[in-house]
């Protein structure tokens, strides 16, 4: 997640006295508005729980009223502090930090705690309505959806809730995976745009985990619906013969066999992103990025209109960072959350050849989602490397038995596949490979880019996986 405090504003307190408020943006969108004293309270609680040597330094108090220059300096210091806390695995994943952000989000958006009905979509467009509290966190809502669908407890961790934007053709543009520090109902309603929806989708990358999910009827139906949807939207490449075989399996209601065949197809299990811009292999190239199979796949259109394709393996990325620029508003700050034109970039440092690292930049509104994909790939790789289980990656509260819904809802079977889109095949045939990399060396960065410790995601899989896995 990209945390920033791009602006402050002067507001009137309960007694009429003015105070400075800090607008905390997550992914370029206003998340909450807090006072210095609230952040100081969070800092002191973190110090109490984790010790002064773990928690980063906090901007000191001032006796006198701050000058505009001092307000700006404090804003920068608080932004770095929040980024440092979030980047720390212990602090950023703590209930103290996440509950602070959830409470602040609800207070800022002025949404009272009450019972509401939230609509969550499945990949096939089916709507699942769950009764929740506006103050329910992401895990609560995920459990409510799982309960409504009668998904077993031990399969819940294979799925996640995603914030998406519905496009005109009925497809979905992924914004981000909903996080533990936010309230899904508040997050989606505060955007004030009916195009934003919440969707349930599998959250793992290794297709071997499909076997676990297919063991249960509901898991199989969810995976089947998602696979059909991905084929229909052109995320999975299918030729005419493969399409004929898939449709035949659909007619026989052979869902497992359908998925088995789909697993052999190009881009199975990938998330496809909207067309965007990259500086590789040269600046200003239009690109379609897909994330999956522990890589970012590029289909690049060069200035010559030639299409080239290549992949960047996550195990060869030393680190990555997300940057955003938020234009200052002339009106009341935060009055139109989510409507500003926010420029987001994902840059990763890649091992191109032995002893040569190079930064590759993607300019895309979906940069945050790309970063989340990379991080989850690394997490999954490291869990597998250590012999762990993906089932244990899903942290459940101590008293975390699922609250079973009184009324279950079945996953509807999607309709038969439409005829294949003839325009998709030539794209694949036109593609030529970007320069491939096969050298095994690893070195420390000699990059001149100024990357602060709080600005980038270090990749534990870069050196932790080892040369044989590159």
């Amino acid at each position: 997640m990209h945390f920033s405090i791009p602006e402050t504003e002067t507001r009137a307190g309960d007694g009429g006295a003015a105070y400075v408020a800090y607008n905390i943006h997550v992914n370029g969108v206003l998340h909450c508005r807090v006072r210095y004293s609230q952040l100081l309270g969070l800092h002191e609680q973190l110090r109490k729980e984790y010790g002064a040597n773990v928690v980063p330094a906090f901007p000191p108090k001032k006796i006198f009223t701050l000058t505009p220059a001092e307000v700006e300096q404090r804003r920068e210091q608080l932004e770095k502090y929040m980024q440092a806390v979030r980047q720390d695995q212990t602090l950023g994943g703590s209930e103290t930090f996440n509950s602070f952000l959830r409470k602040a989000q609800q207070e800022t958006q002025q949404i009272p705690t009450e019972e509401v009905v939230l609509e969550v979509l499945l990949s096939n467009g089916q709507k699942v309505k769950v009764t929740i509290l506006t103050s329910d966190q992401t895990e609560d809502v995920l459990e409510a959806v799982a309960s409504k669908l009668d998904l077993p407890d031990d399969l819940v961790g294979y799925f996640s809730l995603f914030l998406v934007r519905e496009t005109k053709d009925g497809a979905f543009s992924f914004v981000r995976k909903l996080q533990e520090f936010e309230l899904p109902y508040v997050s989606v309603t505060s955007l004030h745009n009916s195009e934003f929806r919440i969707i349930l989708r599998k959250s793992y990358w290794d297709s071997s985990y499909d076997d676990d999910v297919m063991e249960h009827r509901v898991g199989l139906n969810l995976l089947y619906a998602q696979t059909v949807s991905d084929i229909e939207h052109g995320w999975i490449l299918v030729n005419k013969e493969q399409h004929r075989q898939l449709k035949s399996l659909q007619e026989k209601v052979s869902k497992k066999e359908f998925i088995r065949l789909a697993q052999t197809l190009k881009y199975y299990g990938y998330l496809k992103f909207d067309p965007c811009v990259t500086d590789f292999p040269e600046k200003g190239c239009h690109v379609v990025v897909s994330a999956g199979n522990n890589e970012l796949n590029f289909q690049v259109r060069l200035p010559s209109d030639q299409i080239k394709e290549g992949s960047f393996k996550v195990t060869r990325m030393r680190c990555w960072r997300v940057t955003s620029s938020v234009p200052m508003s002339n009106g009341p700050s935060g009055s139109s959350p989510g409507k500003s034109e926010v420029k987001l970039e994902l840059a990763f440092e890649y091992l191109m050849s032995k002893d040569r690292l190079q930064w590759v930049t993607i300019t895309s509104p979906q940069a945050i989602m790309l970063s989340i994909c990379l991080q989850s790939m690394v997490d999954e790789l490291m869990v597998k490397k250590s012999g762990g289980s993906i089932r244990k990656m899903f942290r459940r509260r101590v008293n975390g038995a699922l609250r079973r819904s009184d009324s279950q809802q079945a996953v509807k079977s999607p309709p038969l596949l439409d005829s294949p889109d003839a325009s998709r095949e030539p794209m694949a045939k036109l593609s030529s490979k970007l320069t491939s990399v096969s050298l095994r060396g690893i070195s420390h960065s000699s990059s001149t880019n100024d990357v602060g410790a709080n600005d980038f995601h270090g990749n534990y899989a870069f050196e932790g996986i080892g040369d044989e896995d590159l």
Side-chain angles (χ1 to χ4, degrees):
M1 289 290 100
H2 180 71
F3 278 77
S4 63
I5 306 180
E7 59 201 356
T8 62
E9 58 181 286
T10 303
R11 302 179 69 86
D14 295 335
Y19 68 90
V20 174
Y22 297 89
N23 292 340
I24 297 179
H25 287 236
V26 180
N27 311 337
V29 176
L30 178 69
H31 179 81
C32 61
R33 188 179 295 113
V34 294
R35 301 173 69 160
Y36 172 85
S37 59
Q38 290 175 281
L39 291 173
L40 177 60
L42 168 66
H43 172 70
E44 290 173 345
Q45 185 63 31
L46 289 172
R47 277 172 58 100
K48 182 179 177 182
E49 290 184 26
Y50 298 99
N53 59 329
V54 175
V55 183
F58 192 79
K61 288 182 180 179
K62 301 280 187 180
I63 298 174
F64 302 106
T65 303
L66 274 61
T67 65
E70 288 173 327
V71 169
E72 174 59 19
Q73 181 185 44
R74 177 176 279 182
R75 182 199 66 76
E76 292 177 353
Q77 292 171 338
L78 288 172
E79 181 176 75
K80 289 179 180 178
Y81 174 83
M82 290 296 288
Q83 289 172 346
V85 171
R86 177 59 187 170
Q87 291 290 340
D88 184 280
Q89 284 191 312
T90 301
L91 301 177
S94 69
E95 180 59 19
T96 298
F97 181 68
N98 290 321
S99 62
F100 172 85
L101 289 171
R102 291 194 297 266
K103 183 180 178 183
Q105 181 190 27
Q106 187 175 7
E107 290 176 350
T108 299
Q109 301 299 341
Q110 297 181 327
I111 294 178
T113 297
E114 59 186 358
E115 199 172 79
V116 291
V117 174
L118 179 66
E119 193 174 84
V120 175
L121 298 181
L122 303 184
S123 296
N124 59 2
Q126 182 180 344
K127 298 172 182 177
V128 179
K129 294 183 178 181
V130 290
T131 301
I132 61 164
L133 294 175
T134 53
S135 58
D136 277 346
Q137 62 196 71
T138 301
E139 188 177 314
D140 295 327
V141 178
L142 177 60
E143 289 182 352
V145 175
S147 172
K148 186 80 172 180
L149 296 172
D150 200 24
L151 185 68
D153 293 22
D154 63 347
L155 291 186
V156 177
Y158 290 83
F159 295 87
S160 291
L161 298 174
F162 295 86
L163 180 67
V164 298
R165 190 166 192 166
E166 198 165 4
T167 58
K168 291 178 182 177
D169 61 357
F172 297 109
S173 173
F174 282 76
V175 180
R176 68 175 187 273
K177 184 165 78 170
L178 293 178
Q179 303 291 310
E180 64 275 15
F181 59 75
E182 62 186 315
L183 309 176
Y185 178 84
V186 177
S187 291
V188 72
T189 56
S190 64
L191 291 168
H192 305 292
N193 187 333
S194 60
E195 292 176 357
F196 288 98
R197 311 294 293 270
I198 294 175
I199 192 169
L200 179 75
R201 187 178 171 88
K202 76 175 186 180
S203 58
Y204 57 88
W205 300 100
D206 189 338
S207 60
S208 66
Y209 291 127
D210 287 348
D211 292 341
D212 296 343
V213 176
M214 290 193 291
E215 286 175 5
H216 189 272
R217 168 185 52 82
V218 178
L220 172 62
N221 289 339
L222 286 170
L223 191 58
Y224 174 68
Q226 180 176 313
T227 305
V228 172
S229 173
D230 287 356
I231 292 171
E232 287 284 22
H233 290 128
W235 288 18
I236 300 173
L237 289 187
V238 181
N239 62 32
K240 288 182 180 178
E241 175 56 25
Q242 292 163 341
H243 188 278
R244 186 195 64 76
Q245 294 174 28
L246 288 167
K247 196 165 185 177
S248 173
L249 290 171
Q250 271 193 303
E251 290 168 346
K252 297 174 185 174
V253 199
S254 302
K255 296 178 182 178
K256 283 188 179 180
E257 289 76 9
F258 182 96
I259 293 169
R260 297 278 185 225
L261 176 56
Q263 288 172 337
T264 68
L265 304 179
K266 190 166 186 179
Y267 302 132
Y268 174 81
Y270 282 66
L271 272 181
K272 189 174 183 180
F273 293 83
D274 300 337
C276 54
V277 177
T278 181
D279 63 356
F280 186 89
E282 52 188 288
K283 286 187 177 180
C285 288
H286 292 273
V287 63
V288 173
V289 180
S290 298
N293 194 30
N294 298 319
E295 67 182 22
L296 292 184
N297 177 273
F298 277 31
Q299 290 189 32
V300 181
R301 184 179 294 277
L302 300 177
S304 63
D305 272 349
Q306 183 184 10
I307 302 294
K308 286 200 171 186
E309 181 186 355
S311 295
F312 295 93
K313 292 289 184 184
V314 70
T315 47
R316 302 187 74 130
M317 296 177 188
R318 190 184 74 90
C319 62
W320 67 89
R321 61 180 175 181
V322 174
T323 57
S324 68
S325 56
V326 184
M328 298 298 286
S329 171
N330 293 326
S333 290
S335 59
S336 302
K339 293 183 180 179
S340 299
E341 290 295 323
V342 180
K343 182 182 178 183
L344 288 169
E345 289 185 340
L346 172 81
F348 57 87
E349 195 175 28
Y350 195 76
L351 183 68
M352 293 293 181
S353 61
K354 187 175 182 179
D355 300 327
R356 187 171 78 85
L357 287 148
Q358 178 180 331
W359 282 95
V360 177
T361 301
I362 303 167
T363 303
S364 167
Q366 295 175 292
I368 300 297
M369 186 65 194
L370 281 162
S371 176
I372 291 171
C373 289
L374 291 177
Q375 186 60 59
S376 59
M377 286 178 191
V378 170
D379 291 344
E380 199 171 297
L381 278 170
M382 297 308 291
V383 166
K384 199 165 187 178
K385 188 76 175 179
S386 64
S389 165
I390 192 175
R391 293 176 192 253
K392 295 176 183 176
M393 286 176 67
F394 182 61
R395 295 194 302 269
R396 186 176 300 286
R397 291 185 294 276
V398 177
N399 58 347
L402 279 188
R403 295 173 296 179
R404 284 290 155 197
S405 173
D406 293 332
S407 59
Q408 261 84 42
Q409 182 174 339
V411 180
K412 295 177 183 176
S413 189
L416 295 178
L417 289 169
D418 292 333
S419 298
D421 187 346
S423 66
R424 284 178 188 143
E425 274 193 277
M427 175 76 172
K429 290 175 181 175
L430 278 171
S431 299
S432 59
K433 293 294 181 184
L434 290 166
T435 305
S436 61
V437 217
S438 59
L439 296 173
R440 296 284 193 261
I442 294 178
S443 71
H444 293 291
S445 170
S446 57
S447 169
T448 56
N449 290 58
D450 180 19
V451 185
N454 297 332
D455 298 325
F456 71 89
H457 299 263
N459 182 2
Y460 293 103
F462 181 67
E463 292 179 302
I465 295 296
D467 290 356
E468 71 279 3
D469 296 308
L470 289 176

